[in-house]
Amino acid sequence: MSQPIRPIRRIPTADAYNQWADVYDHDGNILQLHDDEAFDATVPGLLSTRSPSRILDLGCGTGRNTTKLYRSLPEATEIVAMDVSEGMMSKAKARIAAEPQRDVKITWVLHNIDADSLIPQQARGVDAIVCTLVLEHLQLDVFFGAVKEALEKGGWMYLTNMHPEQGLSSRAGFVVKEGDQEVKIQGVSYNHSIESILQAAGEVGLRLLGEVEERGVDDAEHAQQLGKRADKWIGVRMHAAMTFCLDLD
């Protein structure tokens, strides 16, 4: 017997992530597993060959990437950790507080790009940006306009997003129980094509370095490795990752 379709409730993105914060790191999200794998395969090399002095973790969430950056960046580097959700950022702060202390400065910036496209001064003048699984919630012109305000010429950005193939049938969200019924909560969401992302990036001077990397669930054996929620995604590309450089004129 097929499972009943859950009703979907769409609310402002900040509200959705405030509610999601308590379970975000523990709900078996397959896309997050792909995201961690992609980050670990690419970002350490970027940090080694193009070491930044100030890096923006754009959409830091619960600090999955903030913590990795904090552990691996050279001393005297600054991380600017920015997010729209106070609930998610509180988890990130607790995560960093539990780390052995290092001489790596973290500047926390609570900011809603969608409500105010002007990037706060603390987040300007960075020479690298890491932004994973955030773009889905923003219009492309808003997002890349903010990136251009924040990133210095010659700087780089590592960007990931839900693959548009998965986006045909899914959006970022989580399930809550309301009485006898399960409801899926989602924030604002856009299914951006890879072509439209690359075009919007090019319009602000960002040049793709290498190829777009795509990840999904290859087969039943791969699904078993990823967990019980992976079976339904066999044969579907779920994750796209790309690296850009903001060229000097």
Side-chain angles (χ1 to χ4, degrees), residues 14-230:
D15 295 342
Y17 277 90
N18 282 335
Q19 293 181 36
W20 199 356
D22 284 341
V23 298
Y24 184 82
D25 290 323
H26 315 291
D27 65 355
N29 189 313
I30 304 304
L31 191 58
Q32 288 178 39
L33 296 179
H34 282 304
D35 200 58
D36 284 334
E37 183 181 88
F39 183 101
D40 293 343
T42 300
V43 175
L46 287 169
L47 296 178
S48 175
T49 58
R50 295 169 172 260
S51 183
S53 58
R54 298 185 72 234
I55 185 168
L56 172 61
D57 187 358
L58 180 52
C60 67
T62 60
R64 285 186 306 126
N65 297 332
T66 320
T67 304
K68 292 178 183 180
L69 293 171
Y70 184 77
R71 291 171 179 170
S72 58
L73 284 166
E75 302 272 312
T77 306
E78 180 183 4
I79 302 169
V80 181
M82 186 164 78
D83 203 89
V84 68
S85 164
E86 191 169 4
M88 298 287 276
M89 186 176 283
S90 69
K91 300 291 183 183
K93 289 179 177 179
R95 217 170 190 161
I96 294 297
E99 289 289 308
Q101 191 169 354
R102 300 188 66 230
D103 184 22
V104 174
K105 179 182 178 182
I106 300 187
T107 301
W108 301 98
V109 180
L110 189 66
H111 179 73
N112 187 346
I113 292 173
D114 225 9
D116 182 0
S117 60
L118 291 176
I119 290 291
Q121 192 61 41
Q122 309 100 296
R124 293 173 180 260
V126 300
D127 44 11
I129 295 175
V130 165
C131 181
T132 73
L133 304 183
V134 171
L135 184 56
E136 171 189 345
H137 301 296
L138 295 163
Q139 296 184 64
L140 293 176
D141 60 340
V142 171
F143 175 79
F144 283 107
V147 167
K148 187 175 182 181
E149 287 182 352
L151 189 61
E152 290 283 345
K153 293 286 182 70
W156 56 265
M157 176 174 67
Y158 175 73
L159 175 69
T160 74
N161 197 41
M162 179 186 289
H163 196 286
E165 198 169 289
Q166 183 187 11
L168 292 173
S169 58
S170 182
R171 294 289 190 275
F174 61 102
V175 175
V176 297
K177 191 91 169 180
E178 296 185 351
D180 295 329
Q181 186 179 49
E182 289 187 337
V183 177
K184 187 165 186 179
I185 306 296
Q186 296 177 346
V188 174
S189 179
Y190 304 92
N191 187 25
H192 301 302
S193 70
I194 290 174
E195 293 76 14
S196 64
I197 294 172
L198 295 179
Q199 180 178 343
E203 288 172 357
V204 298
L206 289 163
R207 173 172 55 89
L208 181 68
L209 300 176
E211 304 292 329
V212 176
E213 297 181 359
E214 300 168 295
R215 283 176 167 78
V217 184
D218 301 330
D219 49 35
E221 183 179 354
H222 191 201
Q224 200 169 36
Q225 296 169 9
L226 291 168
K228 63 182 181 179
R229 292 173 60 183

